[in-house]
Amino acid sequence: PKRMGEIMKKCWSSDPQFRPDAKDLDMIYGEMTATDTEPLVESNPNARMRTEVATGDMLYKVFPKAVADKLKAGQKVEPETHNNVTIF
């Protein structure tokens, strides 16, 4: 995705002054939605359907259902803090 590529290029800058620090990245990622991180989809409708199904399935393999549902809907997921872990 375009936005992710732009962030990666900044992180790889040979000049440390142009690289975002962890605080900046946290803010950038916190403002992103699922559409900012989804892979680019081909214009072929059949390919688009396969990509959407694969992407949707992957969300549920990686995240808990409640988190995957919010990401799929393009909503922001707030972190949950527990005694021993933080879940994003």
Side-chain angles (χ1 to χ4, degrees):
K2 184 178 179 179
R3 186 151 185 215
M4 292 298 289
E6 292 168 357
I7 294 167
M8 291 170 64
K9 286 179 185 175
K10 288 179 183 178
C11 290
W12 294 336
S13 175
S14 59
D15 185 345
Q17 296 295 323
F18 291 115
R19 295 181 206 148
D21 60 19
K23 184 178 178 182
D24 294 333
L25 289 173
D26 184 49
M27 187 172 63
I28 291 167
Y29 291 138
E31 294 172 352
M32 293 177 82
T33 64
T35 55
D36 293 323
T37 60
E38 291 292 329
L40 299 175
V41 179
E42 299 175 29
S43 60
N44 178 337
N46 292 332
R48 183 180 307 130
M49 185 184 311
R50 283 194 305 274
T51 303
E52 288 173 359
V53 170
T55 302
D57 289 345
M58 182 59 72
L59 285 174
Y60 291 97
K61 290 179 182 177
V62 176
F63 298 105
K65 184 179 182 323
V67 172
D69 287 342
K70 285 184 178 183
L71 290 173
K72 197 168 184 179
Q75 299 173 349
K76 184 175 178 179
V77 179
E78 295 296 330
E80 300 174 19
T81 303
H82 300 272
N83 289 336
N84 296 320
V85 301
T86 298
I87 301 171
F88 290 96

